[in-house]
Amino acid sequence: MPPYQRRETPGEEHWSYRILVHSERRALVQRVQHAGLLIARPAGRSDSLAVQTPPPQRRRQRHVSWWARPLERSLLLGTLIAGSTLIAGAGVDQAYQNRTLPGIHYKELSLAGLSEAQVKGVIEVHAAPLLSAPVVFVHGEREWRPGAREIGLAIDTEAMAQEAMGIRHGIPMALRLPHALYLGAVRPEIPLRGTLDEGQLTAFLNAAAAEVDRAPVNAALSVRNGALVVGQSAPGQRVDIAETARRVHPPSTLDEPQRVELAVVAVPPAVAEAAIAEAQAVASKILAAPLTVKAASRSWTLSPADLGAMLDFKRVPGAVAGDQERLIARLNEQKVAAYVRSLAAQVDRAPQDAQLRWSEGGVAILRESRDGVKLEQSQATAALIAQALLDEREVVLKTTITKPQVASDNLPQLGIRQLLATGSSKFAGSSPERVNNIRVAANRLNGTIIPAGSTFSFLSALGPITKENGYQEGLTIQGDATVPGIGGGVCQVSTTAFRAAFFAGLPIVERHQHTYRVSYYEQDKSPVGFDAAVYNPGVDLRFKNDTEGAILIQTGVDTASSTVAFRFFGTPTGREVRLEAAKANEVKAGPRLPDGTDATLPKGTRKQVEWSSDGADATIRRTLLQNGQVTGGDTFFSRYSPWREKWVVGTGA
């Protein structure tokens, strides 16, 4: 309820007050008494006071205007002023609704009475010239003027507009008019707000640095036409990206671009002149004069240019931690080793056995033996590198002499005293190319010596089967087909060698059958399975000399009788060899295959490429006897596929 209530009765008036608190009661009593009024407490109302005016004196009665009453006058004036202020504040609020208040500006740019979007637009238009080149980077006489986007700089118009719009926030309605008048007088300025993307700035500075950075030049040594060339050092320079970026800050004004000097630091060379002095002295010694190289009665000369081509300069850490790198000079070991290998190709010589033949009951020399020579390459490389650093300009490289297994001066010790065994085969009907290959292969093996205890390899003893070694193209069995190939007919020789080793009682280490039965090997009535195929690589004939002496192989080819023969001479063994043969599971070859075509043959020409041969399982058993007693034996099993005849017809021109 209100603090007081008015109550009127005829002929008098009085005021009844409800005193809310003690302090208010005291203030009211003083004010009422001061006004000449009477105060009484109504019965039963301890919280109220009754104020009564004195009885009126009619003879002195006069009319008092309400304006003459101070309390009423103050209340009325206060109400009028408050109402006017509220109305004026509401008018200001209405006039500047969603717009900036008067006086708000940035520099000379007025932002008053604008919406938030207009504030942003005005600032963006005003900032556009600066943003085309907000920062000028300088180094010497060079300048870089990147756009704001290139360096990640932006004016935060959003934040500036929000700040301009937010100046009215928190101002009571009654104070908004005075506040607006105050802003118009003081003209508050909105600070420039900017952002800077450090990553984008760093990317631009890296690109600029690529135009400024200069690598230091190290002191260096090189060799040109055998002469030592000294390269001087020079410092480099590098843009300090972090320091330069630290100097760039978001703009505080839109008036002038910021000028930033690139932070450029000097980069010293890793290798200075003092660090190459030792290498220079070493290189000068190596290149001082030609170096003479000797080995096995031969001589070569390395000129300074040759030595310079092998010379290497290498950077290594300083002797003490923190020291600059230093340069060392030395001959490159791999290059020297390559040079030594070229010498070895000229020096090295395999030992050559004496070539022998059986003649008139004894061994005769067809070709003298020869010692082998081998250059010790690792030792030679080290010796050459060491000698190049000395004043003495000659080096002798070490070689090793290798003795042949069959020396001309040691024939009696070989023990070759009589014939041990013979093997032979027929090759009637062979083509001229096949006959040639049989003769070449047999001659290659003629005079071969198999030392006691060693294993003979047909392919190793024969050497490469190539045109360069005299072989011609003939028919060869490769897999499941008969095809042209270099060396067709060599298997005739390996088969003959196998038969000689068989009858000599020598242990057969490796033997392979042919895919199908070859008629040549049965021309002399030899049993099926008495053959030995070879093919390089991987298909070899090997047998071991288990006698007490060396074995001499002597071959012969008789084209008149189409016979090739192997004879083994050595130390008598007293062995007797018996052969037993068996054949089973024979399968007929079947009808001829359809003709094929061959574009290499003239059109219409017919040529046979496969020969009919029945299939069979064949077993060759060997029994070894000594003084009539069986001492051993072995078995050789072969399974031959049936083979059908085939012809080809030429389709060529």
Side-chain angles (χ1 to χ4, degrees):
M1 64 182 293
Y4 55 84
Q5 293 180 341
R6 180 172 183 173
R7 186 174 63 195
E8 298 182 359
T9 56
E12 64 177 355
E13 64 179 17
H14 67 271
W15 298 83
S16 175
Y17 292 80
R18 170 165 295 187
I19 307 305
L20 300 178
V21 294
H22 179 73
S23 59
E24 294 177 352
R25 184 186 300 120
R26 180 183 298 173
L28 184 60
V29 169
Q30 291 176 353
R31 204 167 82 190
V32 171
Q33 288 179 344
H34 179 74
L37 303 178
L38 299 178
I39 299 174
R41 185 183 305 277
R45 299 293 301 273
S46 60
D47 59 345
S48 299
L49 291 176
V51 181
Q52 187 177 18
T53 59
Q57 298 180 6
R58 296 183 183 276
R59 61 179 184 274
R60 300 178 60 182
Q61 182 177 7
R62 62 178 181 174
H63 179 74
V64 180
S65 170
W66 65 270
W67 183 254
R69 300 174 182 173
L71 179 61
E72 285 83 347
R73 186 171 63 246
S74 298
L75 292 173
L76 179 59
L77 288 175
T79 301
L80 290 174
I81 292 173
S84 299
T85 302
L86 290 174
I87 293 172
V92 170
D93 196 50
Q94 180 66 30
Y96 289 93
Q97 185 178 13
N98 296 325
R99 295 181 179 275
T100 54
L101 295 176
I104 297 176
H105 72 289
Y106 167 71
K107 297 294 183 182
E108 297 81 11
L109 187 64
S110 174
L111 303 178
L114 302 179
S115 66
E116 182 174 342
Q118 289 173 329
V119 171
K120 291 170 59 178
V122 169
I123 295 174
E124 287 173 354
V125 171
H126 192 69
L130 176 69
L131 295 181
S132 64
V135 180
V136 179
F137 294 96
V138 181
H139 175 65
E141 297 182 356
R142 300 192 62 182
E143 290 186 352
W144 292 262
R145 294 177 175 269
R149 288 186 178 181
E150 290 183 79
I151 60 174
L153 187 146
I155 302 300
D156 194 349
T157 57
E158 182 78 24
M160 294 178 68
Q162 290 180 357
E163 187 169 353
M165 297 297 295
I167 287 179
R168 74 176 69 204
H169 291 170
I171 305 301
M173 183 66 74
L175 298 179
R176 290 189 179 178
L177 176 60
H179 180 63
L181 297 175
Y182 169 78
L183 294 179
V186 301
R187 300 186 72 247
E189 183 174 357
I190 301 301
L192 186 65
R193 306 291 184 188
T195 60
L196 189 61
D197 185 334
E198 294 185 0
Q200 188 68 24
L201 174 60
T202 299
F204 172 79
L205 292 177
N206 281 326
E211 304 177 31
V212 177
D213 289 356
R214 183 178 67 248
V217 178
N218 293 318
L221 297 173
S222 61
V223 179
R224 185 177 303 159
N225 297 325
L228 189 62
V229 179
V230 180
Q232 302 297 318
S233 67
Q237 64 181 22
R238 173 181 59 82
V239 175
D240 187 336
I241 302 297
E243 173 58 25
T244 305
R246 191 186 63 79
R247 298 177 181 181
V248 180
H249 53 74
S252 58
T253 175
L254 295 176
D255 298 334
E256 292 292 334
Q258 179 187 0
R259 292 184 68 83
V260 174
E261 182 76 25
L262 294 182
V264 179
V265 296
V267 181
V271 180
E273 277 70 17
I276 69 171
E278 178 185 351
Q280 187 173 354
V282 171
S284 298
K285 175 70 73 174
I286 293 174
L287 301 174
L291 181 64
T292 300
V293 182
K294 293 184 176 182
S297 72
R298 301 193 61 175
S299 179
W300 304 266
T301 299
L302 285 171
S303 68
D306 296 329
L307 293 168
M310 301 179 191
L311 190 57
D312 270 357
F313 299 100
K314 183 179 180 182
R315 288 163 51 180
V316 297
V320 180
D323 282 0
Q324 278 191 325
E325 293 182 344
R326 61 191 180 92
L327 204 65
I328 61 173
R330 64 170 62 175
L331 290 179
N332 182 289
E333 185 174 352
Q334 293 182 344
K335 294 179 181 179
V336 175
Y339 172 70
V340 169
R341 283 195 297 273
S342 72
L343 300 185
Q346 304 173 56
V347 171
D348 287 0
R349 183 181 67 226
Q352 179 177 283
D353 290 340
Q355 189 172 18
L356 310 177
R357 72 181 182 89
W358 187 264
S359 176
E360 298 180 357
V363 175
I365 298 176
L366 291 178
R367 184 188 62 202
E368 295 286 345
S369 64
R370 185 176 61 183
D371 291 342
V373 180
K374 181 176 178 60
L375 179 64
E376 298 297 336
Q377 296 188 32
S378 59
Q379 296 181 31
T381 300
L384 199 154
I385 291 174
Q387 196 68 40
L389 296 171
L390 303 178
D391 293 331
E392 175 60 42
R393 307 304 290 176
E394 181 177 296
V395 58
V396 178
L397 305 182
K398 181 181 178 181
T399 58
T400 301
I401 302 300
T402 54
K403 293 292 184 178
Q405 290 184 317
V406 181
S408 301
D409 58 358
N410 195 31
L411 296 184
Q413 281 76 19
L414 295 178
I416 302 174
R417 298 195 294 270
Q418 70 177 42
L419 179 66
L420 300 181
T422 298
S424 64
S425 63
K426 294 281 190 177
F427 54 87
S430 294
S431 66
E433 296 82 8
R434 190 171 189 274
V435 172
N436 172 80
N437 295 338
I438 292 171
R439 181 185 297 109
V440 170
N443 289 339
R444 283 273 180 178
L445 298 175
N446 187 42
T448 299
I449 300 295
I450 307 174
S454 66
T455 297
F456 171 84
S457 165
F458 183 89
L459 291 178
S460 297
L462 189 67
I465 304 173
T466 62
K467 286 185 177 181
E468 293 74 15
N469 284 339
Y471 295 95
Q472 298 177 2
E473 186 177 89
L475 294 177
T476 62
I477 300 175
Q478 298 182 21
D480 59 354
T482 304
V483 296
I486 300 298
V490 170
C491 287
Q492 185 90 42
V493 180
S494 62
T495 292
T496 309
F498 167 63
R499 293 177 178 181
F502 181 95
F503 288 120
L506 303 179
I508 306 300
V509 178
E510 179 181 358
R511 174 261 174 187
H512 300 273
Q513 66 166 79
H514 288 82
T515 303
Y516 58 86
R517 292 165 59 183
V518 179
S519 61
Y520 298 121
Y521 309 143
E522 299 175 20
Q523 284 183 3
D524 60 357
K525 307 303 180 181
S526 291
V528 178
F530 205 22
D531 63 342
V534 294
Y535 184 79
N536 199 13
V539 180
D540 199 2
L541 167 66
R542 293 186 298 145
F543 50 85
K544 183 177 181 180
N545 177 6
D546 64 345
T547 70
E548 296 179 357
I551 294 177
L552 167 64
I553 298 178
Q554 193 156 314
T555 65
V557 177
D558 185 353
T559 55
S561 62
S562 299
T563 303
V564 57
F566 272 64
R567 293 190 295 169
F568 287 3
F569 297 90
T571 301
T573 62
R575 293 172 182 167
E576 180 185 351
V577 178
R578 293 179 182 174
L579 182 152
E580 296 178 78
K583 183 173 62 172
N585 302 323
E586 291 190 73
V587 179
K588 291 297 181 181
R592 189 177 72 186
L593 291 169
D595 290 348
T597 59
D598 188 343
T600 65
L601 295 176
K603 187 175 182 180
T605 302
R606 292 178 58 80
K607 179 181 178 180
Q608 187 173 3
V609 294
E610 301 287 359
W611 284 258
S612 176
S613 176
D614 295 339
D617 289 344
T619 302
I620 300 292
R621 293 185 180 89
R622 179 172 63 168
T623 304
L624 302 179
L625 299 94
Q626 193 83 28
N627 299 322
Q629 301 295 318
V630 175
T631 59
D634 43 16
T635 301
F636 302 93
F637 176 79
S638 303
R639 173 163 289 170
Y640 298 103
S641 301
W643 217 252
R644 298 165 67 183
E645 180 181 335
K646 183 176 180 180
W647 293 72
V648 293
V649 179
T651 59

